[in-house]
Amino acid sequence: MSVVAIAVVCLLQYVVYSWKMNAIHKENEEYQRNISAVEEELNEVQSDRAMTLIENHILREFVTQSEFDQAIELLLKRYVPSLREGFGIYLDEVGGQFKLRESRGITKDSKAIYEIDEHLLKKLHTENIIILRGKTLRESKIYACIHDQDKPRVQKLILMAVYENDNLSGIFLTTDLYPKGVDEQQQIKLAKRLLICVSRNIVKNQDFENHRFELRVTREQLELRSLADQQFKTPVKMLEEFLDRLRQFTDSGRAGLFLSTPEEEEGCKAIVQCGITLQTGVKLRWREHEIKLVQIGLTSGENTSLSGDQLDKHGIRSLIGSSLVSPLVTNRKRIGAICLSRQDSQPYDERSLRLISWASQFLSNTLLKVLSHATIERQAKQDGLTGLVNRRSFDEFIEDEFNRAQSMQMACSLVLIDLDHFKAVNDTHGHQAGDEVLRRVAQILKDRISEIRSSDNVIAARYGGEELAILLPDIGLAGTERIAEVIRHSIESAVIEFNETRIPVTASIGISTYSQHAMENVESLVAAADNALYQAKAEGRNRVCSLTSSTV
């Protein structure tokens, strides 16, 4: 009986003990849950605090930037710390198109305009941030716009919208979120908070940029306009200065003013050209491209901007990377066009479009007047028979070039050409035949001059009677001798006929080149060439001589 009682007591004690231990275990579990909850809450607080610190740091960096593009670039650096792992792009929304504004890590030849699927734009409007992966990414229009060299780095693509008064202002495209190593939801949460603050600053910055943009365009227009009021030697010089300044404003390599010539095969003719110096072969090829671009612009009748694939479609696959053509219209008639071109493949921006539009409109109203003045001045400086520069104008040119050569210690050469036995031509065939010979020889000079690399500065003149002259700035003795010999041979081999009678013509040529020690004034340069010409005649004519060289 006592054994049973003891057993019952032990059992009761065990039950009580088990109940107490179970209660303690439950209390411990509750305590651990409370601790975990507190730790989780603490971690969230610490994480939120860390994200807030990151957010505040980024925003401080962003708002302290005075330049809009620098601010965008700074933000892209945060999202794309390594150029090998990803890239970032900021697209401006302009008239329904998304144009590349800033980028980091993308291939240089990437597109300037990106297409974005309509359903993605609608989704962006409600969600602000979209992450594209897998099939959805690969089938999107935006993925098709990414350069093939950049696609291997795209495992996912994040689109983050920037809004201005509920209107889409721009889009960030990145291949990853920030900061790395943090839960994606935390990254998205941070990105959304950043976008709210950044949108305000971007919109504010864009307003400032737009204001500054308008001021800059206005200032550049006024500067171009002021050129028309300045005094130049000729109206064509004014056009050259105007066009060159426009070229500089638009970061163009070359600029040309072309007039429409429907009667000619090319349909247009260059009146003024300026810009980077090109070698002869390159210059001819570039000019062919310009003619084609102007024809395209005249056909369209509106501003035509071409780059990359667009140029390639028109057969322009080298030299020119982008171009901008604006027609000149007077009385609803297209009288010509301005053509800007450069080797860079980046398309022309809005400022360039505004400037060339204004410039073409301004020149359309003034060009005919300017050209009429230029025609009168050119006629006053030309020899009526040969179309070459007359003696009086040539004397002014040679004085200017000699002084330039003297002050800058540069080369400057003079070629004097005298037609052999020209009096006999007049006596035998008549003065009309002599005039025809002079006209033909003058044309030979023009043709040969056009082949010289520095032909823009070379001047040919009728020096007097049957004597002609060529001024060769920046060309030394050896080059002048070669040019003179080509001219002598061209005159000798030319077929000149008058009244079905062939008239043989040769020329004696004397040359001189500026020498710092031997020539103090332009008269000494002319005298040296004249003496060399006398020597050529004395040695039997039909030859080239210089006092510092043997007979060529």
Side-chain angles (χ1 to χ4, degrees), residues 165-183:
N165 299 329
D166 207 37
N167 294 318
L168 188 62
S169 174
I171 297 176
F172 282 100
L173 299 177
T174 63
T175 51
D176 208 345
L177 285 163
Y178 177 81
K180 283 195 172 184
V182 176
D183 179 72

Side-chain angles (χ1 to χ4, degrees), residues 94-116:
V94 181
Q97 288 187 319
F98 291 91
K99 296 186 176 182
L100 180 66
R101 175 69 180 262
E102 281 294 324
S103 65
R104 177 171 168 80
I106 64 171
T107 302
K108 186 178 179 181
D109 296 329
S110 295
K111 287 180 176 289
I113 297 176
Y114 286 70
E115 287 187 74
I116 299 180

Side-chain angles (χ1 to χ4, degrees), residues 42-201:
L42 183 61
N43 287 334
E44 285 182 5
V45 170
Q46 289 175 336
S47 178
D48 285 343
R49 185 171 180 273
M51 298 297 272
T52 301
L53 288 173
I54 292 171
E55 177 185 351
N56 291 337
H57 184 64
I58 293 174
L59 289 175
R60 273 199 306 272
E61 287 183 330
F62 188 83
V63 298
T64 54
Q65 297 299 318
S66 58
E67 297 289 336
F68 176 69
D69 290 334
Q70 288 178 356
I72 297 296
E73 183 182 355
L74 189 68
L75 204 58
L76 290 176
K77 281 182 180 179
R78 285 284 183 178
Y79 277 85
V80 190
S82 172
L83 299 180
R84 289 174 297 180
E85 296 178 11
F87 60 81
I89 298 170
Y90 181 72
L91 302 174
D92 262 336
E93 195 283 331
V94 181
Q97 288 187 319
F98 291 91
K99 296 186 176 182
L100 180 66
R101 175 69 180 262
E102 281 294 324
S103 65
R104 177 171 168 80
I106 64 171
T107 302
K108 186 178 179 181
D109 296 329
S110 295
K111 287 180 176 289
I113 297 176
Y114 286 70
E115 287 187 74
I116 299 180
D117 310 72
E118 192 64 33
H119 72 277
L120 293 180
L121 290 175
K122 290 179 180 178
K123 194 174 180 182
L124 268 178
H125 189 75
T126 56
E127 299 183 16
N128 278 30
I129 295 178
I130 300 174
I131 301 177
L132 301 179
R133 292 185 175 91
K135 185 178 179 182
T136 306
L137 169 63
R138 291 190 298 273
E139 291 180 353
S140 65
K141 290 181 180 178
I142 190 71
Y143 184 76
C145 293
I146 296 172
H147 198 283
D148 289 341
Q149 292 182 19
D150 294 326
K151 286 180 179 177
R153 292 182 290 163
V154 185
Q155 303 305 314
K156 60 182 176 181
L157 193 64
I158 298 94
L159 284 71
M160 297 178 278
V162 175
Y163 281 93
E164 176 186 4
N165 299 329
D166 207 37
N167 294 318
L168 188 62
S169 174
I171 297 176
F172 282 100
L173 299 177
T174 63
T175 51
D176 208 345
L177 285 163
Y178 177 81
K180 283 195 172 184
V182 176
D183 179 72
E184 189 175 271
Q185 291 305 313
Q186 285 283 77
Q187 292 175 325
I188 292 173
K189 191 176 178 182
L190 172 64
K192 285 185 176 181
R193 290 208 302 264
L194 280 175
L195 282 175
I196 294 171
C197 299
V198 167
S199 292
R200 296 194 199 107
N201 285 287

Side-chain angles (χ1 to χ4, degrees), residues 7 69 90 131 164 184 190 208 236 241 243 252 257 266 271 346 349 408 414 450 455 522:
D69 290 334
Y90 181 72
I131 301 177
E164 176 186 4
E184 189 175 271
L190 172 64
F208 174 73
V236 171
E241 185 66 27
L243 211 62
S252 301
L257 176 62
E266 290 181 332
I271 300 301
Q346 281 295 100
D349 58 15
M408 301 181 68
L414 173 64
S450 68
S455 61
V522 71

